Amino acid sequence: MARRHAPARNRVWAERAAEAERAVRSRSLHRLAGVVPGTRIGRVAANRPVGPRTLLGPWHYWWQAHLLDCLLDAQLREPSDRRGRELAALVRGIRLRNLGRWTNDYYDDIAWLGLAVRRAGVRLRRTGPKAVAAITAQLRAGHTPHGGGGIWWRRGDDFKNAPANGPAAILLARTGDVARAVAIVDWMAATLVDPDTGLVRDGIRPDPVTGVWTVEGLAYTYCQGVYLGACVELAERDGDPRWARRAAAVVEAVREHLAEPDGVIGGYDDGGDGGLFNGILVRYLADAAVRLPALAPTAAHTAAHLVTASAERAWENRAADASGPVFAHDWRRPARRPRPGTPESALSVQLSGWMLLEAAARLERGR
């Protein structure tokens, strides 16, 4: 009897993610200062000139960390020797642009780079472990009892927030410091989760007069993403059932409060840091969809739906230029071609769109 051949696997999202990758690489990826051999860096705006003067302007350390993460997503989707070399070149570019250091004063920045560098693993040979060691040492030093626990947002500041503590907890858990990660995420659950909505609020700071710690009430999308990612990580590494329960609760809160009825996640009128917020959320929604089915099947299904619904809308609303697709800062709206002063020109916004398509492609592979 002739053997039946299985149908070819659907690769719609993989192909779309590849288009997004080509567009971002074409617009944004270049040598440091345009000339330094063996390096890469991300141009922060599509219309910004490339050259030595860029060393004097903004470069956004944490955006570069997410560019590295996106390249790693692409490498998992479709391995390439060329991309593997570019991963190492980007890490060299980031370190050189950061004056030869792995760290800066912002705990959230360094946690993002630590996560990406650790994911790169053997591709970075000897530099990766040194970078992760320097970053985790600074994160541990930033974990203090002030405000009940948690890590500071930056050195010398009085603010403790979700965007620093979530990625720090994920990295610490992945590097073996599970007990500290547990303490951080328990602090987030007790301090930052809104008991009325279930959403994770931004952070806490002490009143300058009374010293009483108060909560900053804004619940950004990336606050939900990093808390969800930490809960999913601990569900696997710590095993206590509270992590799956908390992950499921925040997925439901996102569905109810931050997404349209059809599951599309709303955005921000921001071509700056806010351009990355939704991309971070969908990265960890995809992580929950892949890793939680046995522990929280309804939450895993909801998380997958939020990713694919948002990806469909963002793709429908894309614009295009000579490099490829252009994504809007708010996936619910039609994108414009990148022009000076438009959010679409920002690397952060285009990375978020790329992250979204890589998240959908990850779910496609999982099926």
Side-chain angles (χ1 to χ4, degrees), residues 52-353:
R53 288 187 177 182
T54 59
L55 294 175
L56 303 176
W59 68 289
H60 300 297
Y61 173 118
W62 80 289
W63 295 14
Q64 308 297 329
H66 286 287
L67 173 58
L68 179 60
D69 243 340
C70 283
L71 287 170
L72 285 162
D73 289 340
Q75 189 71 349
L76 291 173
R77 168 176 46 80
E78 189 173 4
S80 154
D81 290 342
R82 175 193 173 193
R83 195 188 295 108
R85 293 190 294 272
E86 285 184 337
L87 289 166
L90 177 57
V91 172
R92 284 194 292 272
I94 292 171
R95 188 182 185 190
L96 286 174
R97 181 62 180 80
N98 201 44
L99 305 178
R101 297 175 292 122
W102 293 115
T103 61
N104 66 11
D105 287 338
Y106 290 81
Y107 292 99
D108 53 347
D109 282 14
I110 64 172
W112 289 124
L113 184 63
L115 284 167
V117 167
R118 188 176 185 278
R119 279 187 75 201
V122 295
R123 299 176 183 91
L124 303 183
R125 298 181 183 176
R126 290 176 295 178
T127 60
K130 292 178 182 178
V132 173
I135 288 167
T136 53
Q138 186 165 311
L139 292 176
R140 287 192 293 270
H143 184 213
T144 75
H146 301 85
I151 287 174
W152 299 106
W153 171 48
R154 64 180 176 183
R155 288 192 287 198
D157 204 81
D158 64 352
F159 190 46
K160 290 190 169 185
N161 65 353
N165 281 272
I170 297 168
L171 180 60
L172 290 169
R174 290 180 182 176
T175 53
D177 197 348
V178 175
R180 192 182 301 270
V182 165
I184 290 169
V185 185
D186 276 341
W187 172 82
M188 293 178 72
T191 309
L192 300 182
V193 174
D194 187 330
D196 296 323
T197 65
L199 292 173
V200 182
R201 296 168 292 186
D202 191 33
I204 60 169
R205 68 172 77 246
D207 183 275
V209 177
T210 66
V212 175
W213 289 77
T214 57
V215 179
E216 301 277 339
L218 293 172
Y220 297 111
T221 49
Y222 75 151
C223 296
Q224 321 314 309
V226 297
Y227 177 75
L228 172 61
C231 289
V232 170
E233 201 66 38
L234 290 174
E236 186 173 289
R237 296 177 185 274
D238 178 60
D240 189 283
R242 73 184 184 275
W243 305 117
R245 288 198 303 268
R246 288 173 177 175
V250 75
V251 168
E252 178 58 23
V254 168
R255 183 203 64 76
E256 182 177 354
H257 299 289
L258 298 179
E260 292 188 342
D262 61 359
V264 178
I265 296 165
Y268 299 92
D269 291 324
D270 187 355
D273 286 345
L276 273 168
F277 291 0
N278 285 2
I280 291 167
L281 172 57
V282 296
R283 173 182 295 283
Y284 290 109
L285 285 169
D287 202 41
V290 170
R291 298 170 69 183
L292 280 186
L295 297 174
T298 300
H301 176 79
T302 300
H305 173 66
L306 292 168
V307 171
T308 54
S310 297
E312 289 283 6
R313 185 73 66 83
W315 187 257
E316 290 170 3
N317 282 332
R318 75 192 185 283
D321 65 6
S323 303
V326 178
F327 301 102
H329 57 290
D330 185 332
W331 298 326
R332 301 169 299 180
R333 302 178 187 174
R336 298 162 292 183
R337 296 182 68 182
R339 294 284 186 269
T342 64
E344 286 85 352
S345 70
L347 176 62
S348 60
V349 171
Q350 299 312 312
L351 286 178
S352 212

